[in-house]
């Protein structure tokens, strides 16, 4: 196997080329395990690009009916996760995420007891299927004499997530709401840690392979020791290949997909194809790296040609929905440019307002 094979397999396994096996947004999210959703409006396209023919309304419907949950999970950042997976994945990742947020509290000198005192208020006020926006939560807490400047409010909400009390609920226009997790997604079963490790590893290495154990550790937020343990649990169904000086894992029945035409994609910022691998040398040349990825962890929307980054793009909000502007980093033939123009139309159609 070579670099081209790695990229082709990743595009195929991430449902970015030649696949039409899934019909619903929640099926895509479940296949991927979890999908980083740092910027909500653009993150909707991360699902849409993998599900041709869908619109932003389809993604929002899945969020509004609770099939897809948006919350902080795995690493301390936003992710989409299937409602069917939220509880076992929360139980697995929470012990590592929670101490991080406790340390954030110390940085802003937030009183731990004050934050804990907000939990009963939240549980009582939210009970009965209520969904509240951040400003509404702020008003509720102020009525109880709780300090709620921006830093405190964000910390209170984040900590309530970390305790499994709330998660994101229905969208209210462009605004995200929060609701009680146990009401929105009742817990139906519990997995052991070993069962959860096996399930998470299988999801990741099926949907993201070829990938390394270091990639899995970065993506999952687990320790290297836990990741190696998880690999041992799935090793009968996976094999390793040494490529480019690294050891990659992939399904033992893999086949290199036959790609008969150029793969042209516009991916949102923080897309799984870009963000979920610790080493990104296969997808971007060093000279272009800082044009789309910064040292402090910000990612721009990327233009992908056959799995490699050749430019970036912007989505502008216009009256009818969206307008896409493209910026190439390399010389590109008019034939390929025409394909990107077509892909831009697909993005615009996804966001089009009726």
């Amino acid at each position: 196997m070579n670099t081209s094979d790695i990229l082709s397999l990743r595009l195929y396994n991430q449902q970015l080329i030649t696949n039409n096996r899934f019909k619903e947004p929640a099926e895509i999210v479940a296949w991927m395990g979890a999908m980083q959703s740092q910027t909500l409006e653009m993150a909707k396209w991360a699902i849409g690009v993998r599900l041709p023919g869908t619109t932003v309304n389809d993604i929002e419907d899945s969020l509004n009916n609770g099939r897809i949950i948006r919350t902080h999970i795995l690493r301390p950042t936003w992710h989409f996760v299937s409602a069917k997976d939220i509880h076992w994945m929360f139980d697995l990742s929470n012990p590592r995420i929670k101490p991080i947020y406790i340390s954030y509290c110390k940085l802003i000198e937030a009183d731990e007891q004050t934050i804990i005192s907000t939990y009963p208020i939240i549980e009582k006020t939210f009970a009965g299927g209520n969904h509240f926006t951040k400003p509404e939560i702020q008003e509720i807490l102020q009525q109880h004499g709780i300090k709620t400047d921006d830093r405190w409010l964000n910390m209170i909400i984040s900590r309530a997530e970390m305790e499994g009390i709330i998660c994101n609920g229905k969208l209210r226009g462009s605004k995200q709401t929060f609701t009680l997790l146990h009401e929105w997604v009742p817990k139906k079963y519990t997995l052991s840690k070993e069962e959860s490790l096996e399930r998470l590893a299988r999801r990741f290495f099926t949907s993201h392979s070829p990938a390394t154990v270091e990639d899995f550790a970065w993506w999952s937020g687990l320790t290297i020791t836990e990741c190696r343990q998880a690999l041992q649990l799935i090793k009968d169904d996976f094999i390793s290949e040494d490529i480019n000086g690294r050891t990659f894992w992939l399904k033992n029945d893999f086949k290199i997909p036959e790609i008969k035409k150029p793969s042209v994609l516009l991916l949102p910022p923080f897309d799984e194809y870009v963000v979920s691998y610790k080493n990104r040398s296969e997808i971007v040349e060093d000279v272009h790296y800082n044009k789309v990825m910064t040292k402090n962890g910000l990612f721009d929307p990327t233009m992908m040609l056959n799995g490699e980054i050749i430019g970036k793009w912007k989505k502008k909000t216009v009256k009818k929905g969206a307008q896409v502007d493209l910026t190439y980093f390399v010389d590109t033939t008019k034939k390929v440019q025409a394909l990107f123009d077509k892909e831009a139309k697909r993005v615009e159609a996804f966001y089009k307002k009726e």
Side-chain angles (χ1 to χ4, degrees):
M1 290 182 63
N2 55 33
T3 296
S4 178
D5 294 332
I6 291 174
L7 300 184
S8 295
L9 277 166
R10 284 181 178 174
L11 289 169
Y12 181 81
N13 289 330
Q14 289 217 19
Q15 309 301 302
L16 289 167
I17 57 170
T18 68
N19 283 353
N20 294 294
R21 62 186 298 176
F22 299 118
K23 304 298 181 183
E24 300 292 333
E27 292 177 320
I28 289 289
V29 175
W31 169 262
M32 299 295 290
M35 299 175 69
Q36 189 161 335
S37 58
Q38 199 86 343
T39 53
L40 176 57
E41 195 61 22
M42 291 291 276
K44 297 169 187 175
W45 174 240
I47 302 173
V49 70
R50 292 168 167 84
L51 208 57
T54 55
T55 69
V56 68
N57 292 330
D58 298 316
I59 313 305
E60 291 173 354
D61 285 347
S62 292
L63 289 165
N64 289 336
N65 61 31
R67 292 194 181 98
I68 296 174
I69 308 300
R70 183 172 180 257
T71 191
H72 289 79
I73 207 164
L74 298 183
R75 305 184 304 280
T77 189
W78 289 108
H79 279 86
F80 289 139
V81 62
S82 167
K84 295 178 180 179
D85 297 323
I86 180 67
H87 288 291
W88 69 261
M89 203 175 291
F90 173 87
D91 291 343
L92 180 62
S93 65
N94 181 261
R96 287 187 59 78
I97 298 177
K98 187 175 177 179
I100 296 173
Y101 279 90
I102 291 175
S103 69
Y104 290 167
C105 286
K106 293 178 180 178
L107 286 175
I108 67 170
E109 298 180 343
D111 178 65
E112 185 75 6
Q113 291 306 310
T114 299
I115 289 177
I116 292 172
S117 73
T118 66
Y119 300 159
I121 298 170
I122 291 171
E123 290 174 319
K124 182 178 180 179
T125 308
F126 280 58
N130 288 313
H131 296 243
F132 294 111
T133 63
K134 187 183 290 187
E136 289 170 340
I137 296 172
Q138 184 176 39
E139 184 177 347
I140 290 166
L141 295 175
Q142 286 175 345
Q143 291 172 358
H144 288 80
I146 304 296
K147 181 179 180 179
T148 55
D149 62 29
D150 285 344
R151 292 191 305 169
W152 269 79
L153 182 61
N154 288 334
M155 188 55 59
I156 289 169
I157 291 173
S158 296
R159 289 293 301 279
E161 277 190 309
M162 291 306 96
E163 296 298 333
I165 298 170
I166 62 173
C167 64
N168 276 192
K170 295 179 180 179
L171 295 167
R172 195 181 299 168
S174 61
K175 293 182 178 180
Q176 183 76 66
T177 68
F178 296 84
T179 192
L180 292 179
L181 175 61
H182 77 272
E183 288 188 349
W184 195 227
V185 190
K187 191 171 186 176
K188 296 181 179 180
Y189 62 91
T190 300
L191 298 181
S192 68
K193 182 176 181 179
E194 185 175 81
E195 290 171 326
S196 297
L197 285 173
E198 186 273 337
R199 185 172 292 190
L200 192 66
R202 190 173 297 278
R203 293 283 182 88
F204 177 77
F205 285 105
T206 299
S207 61
H208 291 69
S209 68
T212 68
V213 66
E214 290 79 15
D215 294 329
F216 182 45
W218 154 247
W219 178 84
S220 67
L222 300 171
T223 66
I224 284 288
T225 299
E226 289 171 322
C227 290
R228 287 174 177 154
Q229 178 187 350
L231 267 173
Q232 285 297 308
L233 296 170
I234 64 170
K235 67 178 182 179
D236 289 346
D237 298 319
F238 290 78
I239 60 173
S240 62
E241 292 274 352
D242 290 335
I243 316 163
N244 298 342
R246 308 201 306 283
T247 300
F248 291 83
W249 289 85
L250 59 166
K251 289 290 292 293
N252 56 17
D253 61 352
F254 79 92
K255 294 181 181 179
I256 305 296
E258 184 179 359
I259 303 175
K260 297 181 179 180
K261 59 182 180 180
S263 168
V264 170
L265 294 164
L266 299 179
L267 299 183
F270 303 98
D271 189 84
E272 286 292 302
Y273 183 81
V274 177
V275 76
S276 58
Y277 304 99
K278 186 173 183 180
N279 186 317
R280 304 181 182 101
S281 58
E282 280 83 18
I283 66 170
V284 61
E285 295 181 14
D286 288 344
V287 67
H288 302 312
Y289 192 98
N290 291 332
K291 298 174 184 177
V292 290
M293 292 169 265
T294 65
K295 291 181 179 179
N296 58 351
L298 297 180
F299 290 73
D300 284 330
T302 52
M303 298 172 61
M304 313 294 298
L305 177 61
N306 298 326
E308 295 184 60
I309 296 173
I310 67 161
K312 62 182 180 179
W313 59 284
K314 289 183 179 180
K315 179 181 80 70
K316 295 181 179 179
T317 300
V318 295
K319 187 175 182 180
K320 293 184 178 181
Q323 176 182 313
V324 171
D325 292 335
L326 308 175
T327 302
Y328 293 90
F329 298 154
V330 298
D331 291 334
T332 309
T333 66
K334 290 184 178 180
K335 182 178 181 179
V336 171
Q337 288 182 32
L339 293 175
F340 274 108
D341 290 339
K342 183 178 179 180
E343 186 69 1
K345 296 298 182 185
R346 187 159 78 102
V347 175
E348 292 169 357
F350 176 81
Y351 286 102
K352 186 177 180 179
K353 297 178 181 178
E354 299 296 337

